[in-house]
Amino acid sequence: MGLLADARNIQAKDPAARSVVEVILLYPGFHILVYHRIAHWLYAHKHFFLARWVSQRGRHKTGIEIHPGAKIGKCLFIDHGMGIVFGETTEIGDNCTIYHGVTLGGTGKDKGKRHPTLGNNVLIGAGTKVLGPVYIGDNARVGAGSVVLHNLPANCTAVGVPAEVVRINNTAVNPADDLDQQDLPDLVSQRLTELERRIGEVETQARGAVPPSAQELEKWRRADNR
Ligand SMILES: CC(C)(COP(=O)(O)OP(=O)(O)OC[C@H]1O[C@@H](n2cnc3c(N)ncnc32)[C@H](O)[C@@H]1OP(=O)(O)O)[C@@H](O)C(=O)NCCC(=O)NCCS
């Protein structure tokens, strides 16, 4: 059954959870899934007032406000609860993790689909705001306290305000991250060597001889500097 799988998933993901029974009885992240199932069913059958009433009961009990229209995939893990809001047109894939203080909300500028869509296995850190009809790709991780305003690709880590992608497939995307601050390349010297090589080539071609190799040129340059 879906809800039992949800409870088992929470137990597996939370090192502090001792048993499934504990999750079922005491975890707000599980309780809100039960409320939302009912509210979403009522919403889908056009019982909008009742749907909203159930959703508000859930909010009152857990501090998590999920609009009855939001579509939530399998095995969502909401850790801690409190201060969480998912808007009406939010869509969440399977196996996502969401911490306290997260908003999946609108910017106030869009109509129709105006809330975020999360792929599968997405992690949204505590306090993060994802605003507008943005898409967050599968396996993306958004750092705590970020504000996401644009689509994020799959398999990335994004952090900051506004959120910037800092890693894709565990590789830093900003070349500055890889810069060796201790051993900076000497660009002027490299350029001069390259120029010398090209002048040497032109000179020897003009004389009809074989051009010197780059190593030979480097050797001559060192000898000249002595
Ligand atoms: C982003 C996160 C998921 C880590 O993902 P990751 O792919 O393992 O990324 P890394 O830890 O390698 O961090 C990548 C870079 O982002 C920085 N970073 C990580 N989290 C950040 C954050 N929340 N805000 C700003 N920068 C952050 C790191 O310092 C690192 O910078 P560097 O490359 O200059 O060293 C994790 O840091 C995070 O924020 N998790 C949310 C946890 C949470 O909300 N917990 C609440 C428990 S109650």
Side-chain angles (χ1 to χ4, degrees):
M1 190 182 140
L3 281 170
L4 191 57
D6 288 340
R8 287 204 173 113
N9 171 60
I10 293 173
Q11 193 207 353
K13 285 186 181 152
D14 185 357
R18 299 276 185 272
S19 67
V20 181
V21 174
E22 186 183 324
V23 170
I24 291 171
L25 293 179
L26 302 177
Y27 272 57
F30 176 73
H31 297 160
I32 197 64
L33 295 180
V34 178
Y35 280 107
H36 183 68
R37 284 266 170 115
I38 300 164
H40 189 66
W41 187 91
L42 290 166
Y43 182 90
H45 289 81
K46 303 199 186 312
H47 303 297
F48 298 119
F49 183 87
L50 264 183
R52 193 71 177 188
W53 183 80
V54 172
S55 148
Q56 288 301 305
R57 292 299 304 157
R59 174 182 182 272
H60 182 71
K61 293 281 182 194
T62 64
I64 302 167
E65 178 169 335
I66 305 182
H67 191 285
K71 292 183 184 148
I72 294 181
K74 283 180 261 170
C75 294
L76 172 63
F77 173 35
I78 299 178
D79 204 4
H80 306 296
M82 279 299 171
I84 294 176
V85 177
F86 301 164
E88 182 178 15
T89 59
T90 300
E91 292 166 71
I92 298 178
D94 297 336
N95 294 311
C96 291
T97 299
I98 290 179
Y99 289 97
H100 53 281
V102 167
T103 301
L104 304 179
T107 58
K109 294 185 288 192
D110 304 292
K111 299 238 170 355
K113 169 71 175 160
R114 58 197 183 283
H115 300 111
T117 300
L118 273 49
N120 299 322
N121 308 312
V122 171
L123 180 150
I124 309 284
T128 291
K129 311 296 163 196
V130 187
L131 303 177
V134 297
Y135 180 75
I136 301 194
D138 292 351
N139 312 312
R141 296 146 74 83
V142 183
S146 303
V147 176
V148 181
L149 300 170
H150 301 290
N151 294 347
L152 295 178
N155 308 314
C156 77
T157 298
V159 298
V161 181
E164 300 278 351
V165 174
V166 291
R167 295 207 193 297
I168 291 187
N169 294 320
N170 270 334
T171 307
V173 292
N174 184 354
D177 291 352
D178 303 328
L179 191 63
D180 183 352
Q181 305 280 353
Q182 302 293 319
D183 192 15
L184 294 173
D186 186 346
L187 295 177
V188 175
S189 164
Q190 281 176 6
R191 196 81 188 119
L192 279 175
T193 309
E194 174 63 11
L195 276 174
E196 271 182 309
R197 190 184 66 75
R198 289 176 64 184
I199 290 169
E201 258 178 26
V202 172
E203 280 178 352
T204 44
Q205 270 168 13
R207 284 193 227 110
V210 181
S213 66
Q215 288 91 338
E216 278 172 326
L217 275 167
E218 180 63 18
K219 214 163 76 187
W220 296 343
R221 198 171 66 82
R222 287 214 182 110
D224 283 352
N225 286 345
R226 269 194 221 120

